[in-house]
Amino acid sequence: MDINQFLPLVQNIGFPAVIFAIWYIYHKAQAKLFEDMINQNFSILKDLLETNQYHAALLSRVESKIDNNLWCPVLKREVS
């Protein structure tokens, strides 16, 4: 909104209109800031979710190798 749209309001209503205009401009700026922060948080959370899924897959492979008794070749030599 342009400040020229608030001038007739200020002339008719006075000081409360000025306070409202300042609050309205401040509120719009803060709402945009919060929206940007939320979008950044969602992108970070999306990346963290992908990383967690990758780690879960790796841990599943390690667990299956442990369950199937597939040891490290160096350890197999030492045990036998």
Side-chain angles (χ1 to χ4, degrees):
M1 279 197 138
D2 192 37
I3 195 72
N4 291 331
Q5 294 174 346
F6 289 115
L7 286 180
L9 189 62
V10 171
Q11 290 173 351
N12 292 334
I13 299 174
F15 187 68
V18 173
I19 298 296
F20 174 76
I22 291 170
W23 174 83
Y24 182 77
I25 293 168
Y26 174 77
H27 176 71
K28 289 204 46 125
Q30 289 300 314
K32 176 139 178 52
L33 260 170
F34 288 137
E35 184 180 344
D36 292 342
M37 287 172 50
I38 289 171
N39 288 337
Q40 286 177 345
N41 284 342
F42 275 124
S43 67
I44 289 171
L45 287 174
K46 186 178 115 183
D47 293 341
L48 285 174
L49 179 64
E50 290 174 3
T51 304
N52 283 345
Q53 289 173 343
Y54 178 71
H55 286 157
L58 289 177
L59 287 173
S60 175
R61 285 182 58 210
V62 168
E63 182 185 13
S64 68
K65 287 183 179 184
I66 290 171
D67 289 343
N68 294 330
N69 210 11
L70 298 174
W71 291 350
C72 172
V74 175
L75 187 59
K76 279 184 182 180
R77 250 191 332 233
E78 291 180 11
V79 170
S80 53

